Amino acid sequence: MNFSRGTLTVAALAGAAALALAPTATAATTYQISVVPPLGTVYANNLVTLGALVTPTPTGTDGSTPVELEITEPDGDVNTRTIPLTLGAGTAAIRTHEAGRYTVVFTFAPPNGTPAETTTQFDAVASPGLGLGS
């Protein structure tokens, strides 16, 4: 086959333009979740604050992805909550319904990064009475 120099030049320029305009391949960011479990004594039938810190700080569409919580209560009931993130951190208040061990799975599944998951546990003790006589 015979190609003119002009045809080869146009083909080379078209190929170079296609490569230049192609989206660049970047490695997905690998995230980690650090949790702030309850500090001190946790009583049943109270609110407990749980915190999550995602590092490195997610940006772009990853930054608007919340952390999902799956909370397993001592009796086996499972509840879910979300923690919206601000600069990679956020908190959620959960109610402890009964005394016993609570297990919380934190999941961060960003659209452009590698999902991260971590688990924490804490114990709730029976709420003290008001001390009023009957």
Side-chain angles (χ1 to χ4, degrees), residues 2 4 8 11 29 32 34 61 67 69 75 78 82 88 98 108-109 114 117 121:
N2 244 346
S4 71
L8 291 175
T29 302
Q32 293 182 340
S34 300
T61 55
V67 172
L69 305 181
D75 65 0
V78 177
T82 59
E98 58 195 294
F108 181 66
T114 303
E117 182 177 290
Q121 295 181 326

Side-chain angles (χ1 to χ4, degrees), residues 2-67:
N2 244 346
F3 292 106
S4 71
R5 193 178 318 193
T7 303
L8 291 175
T9 303
V10 169
L13 289 175
L19 287 175
L21 296 175
T24 56
T26 57
T29 302
T30 301
Y31 294 103
Q32 293 182 340
I33 303 173
S34 300
V35 299
V36 180
L39 303 174
T41 304
V42 175
Y43 291 108
N45 297 316
N46 283 321
L47 288 176
V48 174
T49 302
L50 298 172
L53 174 64
V54 176
T55 54
T57 302
T59 59
T61 55
D62 288 359
S64 62
T65 303
V67 172

Side-chain angles (χ1 to χ4, degrees), residues 113-130:
T114 303
E117 182 177 290
T118 191
T119 302
T120 192
Q121 295 181 326
F122 64 92
D123 295 318
V125 297
S127 296
L130 295 176

